[in-house]
Amino acid sequence: MTLVRLTDVSKHYGSVRALEGVSLEVNAGEITCVLGDNGAGKSTLIKIIAGLHPHDGGSLRIDGEETTLGSPREALDRGIATVYQDLAVVPLMPVWRNFFLGSEPRKGVFKRLDVDFMRRTTRSELLRMGIDLRDVDQPIGTLSGGERQCVAIARAVHFGAKVLVLDEPTAALGVKQSGVVLSYVAAARDQGLGVVLITHNPHHAYLVGDRFVLLRRGTMAASHDRDSVTLDELTRQMAGGSDLEALSHELRRTPGPGTPRD
């Protein structure tokens, strides 16, 4: 089932072309990976799907209905949750408070925060995703980068996301923490969510991805299903392919006078 489909989507800022003719689809229970270096257009693509910036060319369909998202709240209401690289958390607040940040349940005549419910729910929702934290009362700032990413993913799942957009979730993490985060990305997929994984790391993408879209300078350089591309080919295309080969040839040492030749 296709949850989100972009067809020939473009975005211009004045005379600057940020995106041109980009197409992708996000299916329930699948991970679509968007790869590209800095300046490739990944951030602009995220902003369009997240409702921050409207597209000005092509079409965006959500559940088959053509639409233009006017705000992040509208995107959330349509089931699209975005987890940015710089997570929107309050480091000194406990995990459970960050889990419900902006959506705190209240009870009683005086509308007090239902702290017990938030603690219980945070613990149970994290466990449901396979995340076993020592204490949900600890400040979220004391968690590792990978753990904070996992809390954000579990939060999006709990609040009813159908599409989860992840902005470079492993960019600042080591190998072990990256593996932890990718396992929770796969867990979200296995719960039926459609996932968009933005990354510049083809190895991470290939570990979990079902579809791959490569961006270069705001345009689509390639689009593949998993069965139609190998990791080596994906890495070669990500690195620039023929451009990289030309650069390698250009940088090859030229033997000087008296330099022994092979």
Side-chain angles (χ1 to χ4, degrees):
M1 176 184 175
T2 300
L3 302 173
V4 174
R5 186 191 300 274
L6 283 74
T7 305
D8 294 330
V9 162
S10 301
K11 180 64 182 177
H12 295 77
Y13 299 99
S15 61
V16 177
R17 181 196 69 180
L19 277 185
E20 188 72 51
V22 173
S23 300
L24 64 83
E25 63 181 53
V26 185
N27 295 328
E30 288 188 358
I31 298 174
T32 298
C33 298
V34 179
L35 299 102
D37 285 328
N38 293 336
K42 303 190 303 296
S43 294
T44 302
L45 184 64
I46 290 173
K47 289 171 183 174
I48 290 172
I49 299 174
L52 278 166
H53 291 175
H55 59 289
D56 50 28
S59 70
L60 166 63
R61 291 181 176 272
I62 301 174
D63 294 328
E65 178 187 345
E66 186 164 350
T67 187
T68 298
L69 294 171
S71 68
R73 171 53 61 185
E74 189 178 341
L76 277 170
D77 290 343
R78 300 294 297 270
I80 300 173
T82 303
V83 177
Y84 293 98
Q85 187 176 337
D86 51 344
L87 297 173
V89 298
V90 182
L92 294 180
M93 281 187 177
V95 173
W96 61 265
R97 188 67 192 269
N98 276 277
F99 192 91
F100 281 91
L101 197 61
S103 302
E104 295 88 347
R106 297 177 181 271
K107 65 177 181 179
V109 176
F110 299 104
K111 301 297 183 183
R112 291 176 300 173
L113 291 178
D114 193 343
V115 174
D116 289 340
F117 173 81
M118 287 190 278
R119 282 196 180 108
R120 285 196 315 271
T121 303
T122 300
R123 187 174 291 109
S124 64
E125 287 299 298
L126 292 178
L127 282 172
R128 190 162 70 91
M129 290 287 292
I131 306 167
D132 187 8
L133 288 184
R134 295 175 297 279
D135 182 8
V136 295
D137 282 305
Q138 69 188 100
I140 199 167
T142 63
L143 302 183
S144 68
E147 288 172 326
R148 289 197 297 272
Q149 285 282 351
C150 297
V151 169
I153 292 170
R155 182 185 191 278
V157 173
H158 171 71
F159 283 102
K162 294 187 292 183
V163 175
L164 183 60
V165 183
L166 299 168
D167 174 23
E168 299 273 9
T170 61
L173 305 180
V175 174
K176 185 175 180 180
Q177 285 292 316
S178 294
V180 170
V181 171
L182 290 174
S183 71
Y184 296 126
V185 173
R189 172 203 63 200
D190 293 343
Q191 292 196 28
L193 276 72
V195 180
V196 181
L197 175 64
I198 312 290
T199 182
H200 63 269
N201 190 318
H203 292 81
H204 291 171
Y206 203 78
L207 281 171
V208 295
D210 298 290
R211 302 170 185 274
F212 308 96
V213 173
L214 278 76
L215 299 182
R216 188 174 300 136
R217 297 175 186 171
T219 62
M220 285 183 66
S223 179
H224 303 288
D225 292 333
R226 184 179 184 85
D227 294 339
S228 66
V229 68
T230 64
L231 173 58
D232 287 345
E233 178 61 17
L234 192 66
T235 304
R236 191 188 75 81
Q237 291 183 12
M238 172 71 187
S242 57
D243 292 343
L244 193 65
E245 292 170 9
L247 179 63
S248 176
H249 178 75
E250 192 177 310
L251 296 177
R252 193 170 294 135
R253 186 189 298 273
T254 302
T259 303
R261 295 175 181 270
D262 293 336

